[in-house]
Amino acid sequence: MAAAKKLMSVSRDWRERDVRVVLVALIIAVATVATIALFANQLQRTLVSSASSFLAADRQLEAENGRPVPVEWLEEARNRGLETGQMIEFSTMVFGESGFQLVSVKAVSDEYPLRGEIEIQPSQDAPREIVGGGPGQGEIWVNPRLLRLLALNIGDTLEVGSRKLEITRLLIREPDGGFRLSSLAPRVMMHVDDVSSTGVLQEGSRVEFVYLFAGADPVLEDYYQWLEPQLEPSHEWEGVRDGETFSRSLERAERFLLLGGSLAVLLAAVAVAVASRQYALSQRDTVALLKTLGLTGKGIGRLYLRRLALWGIVGIVGGLAVALPLFWLLVRLLSDVLERPVDFYLDPAALTPALMTALVSLFAFAYPPIRRLRSVPAMRVLRSQPGETGREAIPDMVLAVVAIFGLVWLYAGELALVVSLLGGLVLLLTVLALVGWLMVSVLRRVRGGGNAWRLALVGLYRHRQASMAQMAVFAMTLMLAATLVLVRSSLLDDWQAQLPDDAPNHFLINIAPESVDEVETFWSERGAPLDTVYPMVRGRLTELNDRPVKEAVSKDERVNALNRELNLTWMAELPDDNRLVEGEWFAPGVTEGVSVEAELAGRLGLKLGDRLTFTIGSEKITEPVTSIRTVQWDSMKPNFYMAFPPNGGLTDMPGTWITSFHLAEGNKLLLNEFSRQYPTVSVLEIDHIITRIQEIVRQVTQAIEAILALILAAALVVMAAVVSATLRDRQREGALLRTLGGQQSLLVRSTMLEFALLGFVAGVLGVLAAEAAVYALQVRMFEGTFRWHWQVILPIPVLSAGLLALFGRWQLRPVLSVSPMLLLRRLE
């Protein structure tokens, strides 16, 4: 028994090379997944925090019925520890000394904004300033264009209803400027306590009361659970994820991070699997000796379980010791990218995927072969006949697949992502099996000789099982790394392409039909041509298949589109950024039908052929659903839930026209000229939205690049572990060749060629599998279009061949630096 304990001593075990490889793989796996999980969590919090400024709060409660909410609702929020604020928004005419102008008024309380900041100018020539609160009582802040339209100056008074307010600041940008086509420019801001004295709001006035809430997410969710039963259809509880424009960008950002983290989980599992299985197979002699010394199979199992648990602890502690400083460095880099401080937040829950990756991978891949060895007779083990057949290894493979699926599912939680990645791996392994069979058939005919190519091909055949295993791991590693490279070069670039530097940053709304040509001419002559001009009719969806729509739709669905008028349009051609998912687009001459946005169609439970009835003023039109399409709300172009064919039922309805265009910052004065010439056309400025979304793209790009660097580092560790698996055999063969007179140059060339061939084939297969995975992700998950990435496909196999050739050369160092006889004695 003392001898058995000596065999299983920890200090002796940790001196073994295979054990060190397992520990390094575990530490790298934990460090990679933990760093990515912590950084993704930090970046997600930063994005959501940054995005909350779009609401000037964490949540908004909108009352569109023209009545304030009960005071008890706000008191309950404050009692729960939430910060609250209030806004009142309405449109009215304001009067200056030289005329009047229709404006959009935002009246704010002292607490506004709860999130974000306001950008103002003390005067027209003064630099812009950032302030944390709105105007005081008796003051009004105005859009700079309003000064020019009414020939006013700072210090003058502006009459709002029966109240005169002093203009004290120029309102440049507000955090919740929003993207509402119903809002009118220019905007003015006043204090909420001054509204009643203006006399503007009367019974029946079109006014919206907005209430702001800020606090921890759990408290906000608990408050909403208390509030929800009391809400009316005209009330809308909104978070940053609910906005059509910004929430899509935020959702896409989180999916990119999720994809990167999932790839890291997969790669870490492969790293641990390769290293730990190699260790398990190397323990056959030790198990045999333990059995001859009297240990039972159960006793051996307990010894190895304790050993694996100890390694898991060491791997986790070592991995966290690497991950935490690296995470801190990435947060500092994030602060530099955003040009503002980012709070360092360590979420212990984000470490769960790293811990599970280490433990599940270790016990799913390392323990099964050891468990089988304990049931093999000692004599069969000592004769190098462990009794392990392909059939007996099937349970291990099933366990490995289930473990990997469970890990990615735990981390990602999205079926499309898991299926795409694992589907790509299954396809890759299937193709690898076919390629392996073909290679073995071809290499069987190759005979040895003094030529480096022949020695390389003979080496591949002689180590065919190890070579196929190495090629499989190389290909999987390259697939995972290439998938992220393709995501970085394709999906992110496609996203960035949606918001180029000349993306539309202004909207024109309320264009009269007879003024469309004149407005287009005005901006074309000034170098800012308009995008497509669309008609816009305001209407409400009232019936579905001849039933009131609110009765036809499931009570579990809160569809805000049913509580307000929708912007309806007609168009002859499908916009470039829309994509049909069901049905067909309107053919020339067709005058019936309606195309519905896909997400709204899903929430309403619509299918092709359903009949929708719209109420427009006193008129009603009923049309069948002929197509369902996706809409890119973050394209900064006019988008619509409902689109009708030209000359259809919508054509004769009263409406206006809408369009968007790009105007450089230096040409803003053109807006004053335009407003004087076309006073009834409203200009909506969305520069700040463009800036914020571009900031998100930049943040996610930096995050993906950091994740890519970590994954590539982990990929190198996996490759090193796999190449090292045959180190002893290759060193012995190299020593024998040198003993028999083989030249060093021949040995170097043949080994490098052997690994280069493995690397090239693995690179080709890995990249093709990555393209398959990206196709599924890009089309299904990110709702984009697929294209081949030849600029990535072609270099990766060559780089893979060169990298593995260098690994092969690295393996030969002991052979070339030590005498053959000494090396052979050491290996025995």
Side-chain angles (χ1 to χ4, degrees), residues 39 41 78 111 175 191 244 261 276 283 285 347 397 562 693 724 775 778:
F39 184 63
N41 180 269
R78 287 190 284 267
E111 297 83 6
H191 197 278
E244 295 164 353
S276 58
Q283 292 298 296
D285 293 342
D347 185 4
M397 298 176 64
L562 303 181
I693 293 180
S724 300
Y775 169 81
Q778 196 164 356

PDB file of all heavy atoms in Angstrom, residues 39 41 78 111 175 191 244 261 276 283 285 347 397 562 693 724 775 778:
ATOM      1  N   PHE A  39     -15.658  40.379 -19.284  1.00  0.00           N
ATOM      2  CA  PHE A  39     -15.607  41.553 -20.154  1.00  0.00           C
ATOM      3  C   PHE A  39     -16.915  41.742 -20.909  1.00  0.00           C
ATOM      4  O   PHE A  39     -17.395  42.869 -21.067  1.00  0.00           O
ATOM      5  CB  PHE A  39     -14.448  41.415 -21.132  1.00  0.00           C
ATOM      6  CG  PHE A  39     -14.273  42.625 -22.010  1.00  0.00           C
ATOM      7  CD1 PHE A  39     -13.953  43.845 -21.458  1.00  0.00           C
ATOM      8  CD2 PHE A  39     -14.441  42.542 -23.375  1.00  0.00           C
ATOM      9  CE1 PHE A  39     -13.791  44.970 -22.255  1.00  0.00           C
ATOM     10  CE2 PHE A  39     -14.285  43.642 -24.190  1.00  0.00           C
ATOM     11  CZ  PHE A  39     -13.957  44.870 -23.623  1.00  0.00           C
ATOM     12  N   ASN A  41     -19.848  40.832 -19.853  1.00  0.00           N
ATOM     13  CA  ASN A  41     -20.801  41.334 -18.869  1.00  0.00           C
ATOM     14  C   ASN A  41     -20.574  42.812 -18.594  1.00  0.00           C
ATOM     15  O   ASN A  41     -21.529  43.596 -18.512  1.00  0.00           O
ATOM     16  CB  ASN A  41     -20.668  40.520 -17.576  1.00  0.00           C
ATOM     17  CG  ASN A  41     -21.631  40.970 -16.498  1.00  0.00           C
ATOM     18  OD1 ASN A  41     -21.316  41.834 -15.680  1.00  0.00           O
ATOM     19  ND2 ASN A  41     -22.811  40.385 -16.490  1.00  0.00           N
ATOM     20  N   ARG A  78     -40.865  55.853  -5.059  1.00  0.00           N
ATOM     21  CA  ARG A  78     -39.892  56.479  -4.163  1.00  0.00           C
ATOM     22  C   ARG A  78     -39.732  55.667  -2.878  1.00  0.00           C
ATOM     23  O   ARG A  78     -38.631  55.566  -2.331  1.00  0.00           O
ATOM     24  CB  ARG A  78     -40.314  57.913  -3.868  1.00  0.00           C
ATOM     25  CG  ARG A  78     -40.106  58.855  -5.045  1.00  0.00           C
ATOM     26  CD  ARG A  78     -40.294  60.297  -4.648  1.00  0.00           C
ATOM     27  NE  ARG A  78     -41.696  60.639  -4.494  1.00  0.00           N
ATOM     28  CZ  ARG A  78     -42.460  61.156  -5.447  1.00  0.00           C
ATOM     29  NH1 ARG A  78     -41.941  61.390  -6.648  1.00  0.00           N
ATOM     30  NH2 ARG A  78     -43.722  61.441  -5.234  1.00  0.00           N
ATOM     31  N   GLU A 111     -35.579  67.070 -11.420  1.00  0.00           N
ATOM     32  CA  GLU A 111     -34.776  65.850 -11.399  1.00  0.00           C
ATOM     33  C   GLU A 111     -34.266  65.462 -12.789  1.00  0.00           C
ATOM     34  O   GLU A 111     -33.357  64.644 -12.902  1.00  0.00           O
ATOM     35  CB  GLU A 111     -35.598  64.683 -10.836  1.00  0.00           C
ATOM     36  CG  GLU A 111     -36.043  64.864  -9.394  1.00  0.00           C
ATOM     37  CD  GLU A 111     -37.312  65.698  -9.275  1.00  0.00           C
ATOM     38  OE1 GLU A 111     -37.897  66.031 -10.339  1.00  0.00           O
ATOM     39  OE2 GLU A 111     -37.712  66.019  -8.148  1.00  0.00           O
ATOM     40  N   PRO A 175     -30.621  64.244 -23.796  1.00  0.00           N
ATOM     41  CA  PRO A 175     -30.280  62.822 -23.811  1.00  0.00           C
ATOM     42  C   PRO A 175     -31.355  61.948 -24.434  1.00  0.00           C
ATOM     43  O   PRO A 175     -31.045  60.955 -25.094  1.00  0.00           O
ATOM     44  CB  PRO A 175     -30.081  62.488 -22.322  1.00  0.00           C
ATOM     45  CG  PRO A 175     -30.791  63.571 -21.583  1.00  0.00           C
ATOM     46  CD  PRO A 175     -30.688  64.787 -22.435  1.00  0.00           C
ATOM     47  N   HIS A 191     -39.552  74.610 -17.664  1.00  0.00           N
ATOM     48  CA  HIS A 191     -39.756  73.922 -16.394  1.00  0.00           C
ATOM     49  C   HIS A 191     -41.196  73.444 -16.303  1.00  0.00           C
ATOM     50  O   HIS A 191     -42.129  74.121 -16.731  1.00  0.00           O
ATOM     51  CB  HIS A 191     -39.435  74.844 -15.218  1.00  0.00           C
ATOM     52  CG  HIS A 191     -39.240  74.120 -13.924  1.00  0.00           C
ATOM     53  ND1 HIS A 191     -40.277  73.718 -13.124  1.00  0.00           N
ATOM     54  CD2 HIS A 191     -38.103  73.698 -13.291  1.00  0.00           C
ATOM     55  CE1 HIS A 191     -39.805  73.104 -12.063  1.00  0.00           C
ATOM     56  NE2 HIS A 191     -38.476  73.070 -12.140  1.00  0.00           N
ATOM     57  N   GLU A 244     -37.433  50.761 -31.143  1.00  0.00           N
ATOM     58  CA  GLU A 244     -37.200  50.065 -32.404  1.00  0.00           C
ATOM     59  C   GLU A 244     -35.801  50.319 -32.930  1.00  0.00           C
ATOM     60  O   GLU A 244     -35.135  49.422 -33.434  1.00  0.00           O
ATOM     61  CB  GLU A 244     -38.232  50.516 -33.441  1.00  0.00           C
ATOM     62  CG  GLU A 244     -39.654  50.109 -33.072  1.00  0.00           C
ATOM     63  CD  GLU A 244     -40.667  50.894 -33.875  1.00  0.00           C
ATOM     64  OE1 GLU A 244     -40.253  51.822 -34.605  1.00  0.00           O
ATOM     65  OE2 GLU A 244     -41.863  50.595 -33.778  1.00  0.00           O
ATOM     66  N   GLY A 261     -18.058  34.580 -26.931  1.00  0.00           N
ATOM     67  CA  GLY A 261     -17.934  33.793 -25.713  1.00  0.00           C
ATOM     68  C   GLY A 261     -18.219  32.320 -25.937  1.00  0.00           C
ATOM     69  O   GLY A 261     -17.567  31.443 -25.362  1.00  0.00           O
ATOM     70  N   SER A 276      -6.265  16.332 -21.361  1.00  0.00           N
ATOM     71  CA  SER A 276      -6.652  15.388 -20.312  1.00  0.00           C
ATOM     72  C   SER A 276      -6.767  13.963 -20.847  1.00  0.00           C
ATOM     73  O   SER A 276      -6.423  13.000 -20.148  1.00  0.00           O
ATOM     74  CB  SER A 276      -7.977  15.824 -19.673  1.00  0.00           C
ATOM     75  OG  SER A 276      -8.989  15.917 -20.658  1.00  0.00           O
ATOM     76  N   GLN A 283      -1.834   6.729 -18.441  1.00  0.00           N
ATOM     77  CA  GLN A 283      -1.896   6.145 -17.100  1.00  0.00           C
ATOM     78  C   GLN A 283      -2.159   4.645 -17.094  1.00  0.00           C
ATOM     79  O   GLN A 283      -2.395   4.066 -16.038  1.00  0.00           O
ATOM     80  CB  GLN A 283      -2.999   6.856 -16.296  1.00  0.00           C
ATOM     81  CG  GLN A 283      -2.686   8.293 -15.959  1.00  0.00           C
ATOM     82  CD  GLN A 283      -1.447   8.427 -15.090  1.00  0.00           C
ATOM     83  OE1 GLN A 283      -1.418   7.950 -13.960  1.00  0.00           O
ATOM     84  NE2 GLN A 283      -0.415   9.047 -15.632  1.00  0.00           N
ATOM     85  N   ASP A 285      -0.149   2.085 -17.607  1.00  0.00           N
ATOM     86  CA  ASP A 285       0.855   1.327 -16.838  1.00  0.00           C
ATOM     87  C   ASP A 285       0.688   1.556 -15.347  1.00  0.00           C
ATOM     88  O   ASP A 285       0.831   0.636 -14.534  1.00  0.00           O
ATOM     89  CB  ASP A 285       2.260   1.720 -17.276  1.00  0.00           C
ATOM     90  CG  ASP A 285       2.545   1.293 -18.708  1.00  0.00           C
ATOM     91  OD1 ASP A 285       1.815   0.421 -19.209  1.00  0.00           O
ATOM     92  OD2 ASP A 285       3.485   1.841 -19.315  1.00  0.00           O
ATOM     93  N   ASP A 347     -18.779  40.840 -11.662  1.00  0.00           N
ATOM     94  CA  ASP A 347     -19.992  40.069 -11.405  1.00  0.00           C
ATOM     95  C   ASP A 347     -19.609  38.606 -11.181  1.00  0.00           C
ATOM     96  O   ASP A 347     -19.187  37.917 -12.113  1.00  0.00           O
ATOM     97  CB  ASP A 347     -20.948  40.189 -12.592  1.00  0.00           C
ATOM     98  CG  ASP A 347     -22.274  39.498 -12.329  1.00  0.00           C
ATOM     99  OD1 ASP A 347     -22.469  39.000 -11.201  1.00  0.00           O
ATOM    100  OD2 ASP A 347     -23.122  39.468 -13.248  1.00  0.00           O
ATOM    101  N   MET A 397     -17.741   9.353 -26.511  1.00  0.00           N
ATOM    102  CA  MET A 397     -18.047  10.349 -27.533  1.00  0.00           C
ATOM    103  C   MET A 397     -19.416  10.978 -27.292  1.00  0.00           C
ATOM    104  O   MET A 397     -19.598  12.195 -27.438  1.00  0.00           O
ATOM    105  CB  MET A 397     -17.981   9.709 -28.926  1.00  0.00           C
ATOM    106  CG  MET A 397     -16.604   9.171 -29.300  1.00  0.00           C
ATOM    107  SD  MET A 397     -16.603   8.318 -30.890  1.00  0.00           S
ATOM    108  CE  MET A 397     -17.010   9.697 -31.971  1.00  0.00           C
ATOM    109  N   LEU A 562     -51.099  48.571 -31.294  1.00  0.00           N
ATOM    110  CA  LEU A 562     -52.560  48.588 -31.302  1.00  0.00           C
ATOM    111  C   LEU A 562     -53.113  49.770 -30.517  1.00  0.00           C
ATOM    112  O   LEU A 562     -54.319  50.045 -30.594  1.00  0.00           O
ATOM    113  CB  LEU A 562     -53.108  47.279 -30.716  1.00  0.00           C
ATOM    114  CG  LEU A 562     -52.651  45.990 -31.403  1.00  0.00           C
ATOM    115  CD1 LEU A 562     -53.283  44.786 -30.735  1.00  0.00           C
ATOM    116  CD2 LEU A 562     -52.991  46.025 -32.886  1.00  0.00           C
ATOM    117  N   ILE A 693     -25.152  55.101 -31.898  1.00  0.00           N
ATOM    118  CA  ILE A 693     -25.103  53.759 -32.483  1.00  0.00           C
ATOM    119  C   ILE A 693     -23.715  53.477 -33.041  1.00  0.00           C
ATOM    120  O   ILE A 693     -23.195  52.360 -32.912  1.00  0.00           O
ATOM    121  CB  ILE A 693     -26.189  53.611 -33.569  1.00  0.00           C
ATOM    122  CG1 ILE A 693     -27.583  53.666 -32.918  1.00  0.00           C
ATOM    123  CG2 ILE A 693     -26.018  52.304 -34.325  1.00  0.00           C
ATOM    124  CD1 ILE A 693     -28.718  53.538 -33.896  1.00  0.00           C
ATOM    125  N   SER A 724       2.268  17.873 -29.118  1.00  0.00           N
ATOM    126  CA  SER A 724       3.105  17.251 -28.087  1.00  0.00           C
ATOM    127  C   SER A 724       2.663  15.843 -27.737  1.00  0.00           C
ATOM    128  O   SER A 724       3.403  15.097 -27.087  1.00  0.00           O
ATOM    129  CB  SER A 724       3.104  18.114 -26.818  1.00  0.00           C
ATOM    130  OG  SER A 724       3.607  19.402 -27.103  1.00  0.00           O
ATOM    131  N   TYR A 775     -22.645  30.924 -42.337  1.00  0.00           N
ATOM    132  CA  TYR A 775     -23.857  31.003 -43.157  1.00  0.00           C
ATOM    133  C   TYR A 775     -25.098  30.866 -42.286  1.00  0.00           C
ATOM    134  O   TYR A 775     -26.041  31.664 -42.385  1.00  0.00           O
ATOM    135  CB  TYR A 775     -23.839  29.908 -44.217  1.00  0.00           C
ATOM    136  CG  TYR A 775     -25.163  29.742 -44.935  1.00  0.00           C
ATOM    137  CD1 TYR A 775     -25.520  30.593 -45.970  1.00  0.00           C
ATOM    138  CD2 TYR A 775     -26.064  28.749 -44.558  1.00  0.00           C
ATOM    139  CE1 TYR A 775     -26.736  30.472 -46.607  1.00  0.00           C
ATOM    140  CE2 TYR A 775     -27.280  28.604 -45.193  1.00  0.00           C
ATOM    141  CZ  TYR A 775     -27.618  29.463 -46.216  1.00  0.00           C
ATOM    142  OH  TYR A 775     -28.822  29.340 -46.841  1.00  0.00           O
ATOM    143  N   GLN A 778     -25.306  33.980 -39.941  1.00  0.00           N
ATOM    144  CA  GLN A 778     -25.571  35.251 -40.618  1.00  0.00           C
ATOM    145  C   GLN A 778     -26.986  35.310 -41.165  1.00  0.00           C
ATOM    146  O   GLN A 778     -27.637  36.349 -41.114  1.00  0.00           O
ATOM    147  CB  GLN A 778     -24.554  35.455 -41.742  1.00  0.00           C
ATOM    148  CG  GLN A 778     -24.480  36.890 -42.246  1.00  0.00           C
ATOM    149  CD  GLN A 778     -23.220  37.124 -43.050  1.00  0.00           C
ATOM    150  OE1 GLN A 778     -22.378  36.244 -43.170  1.00  0.00           O
ATOM    151  NE2 GLN A 778     -23.089  38.307 -43.604  1.00  0.00           N
TER     152      GLN A 778
END
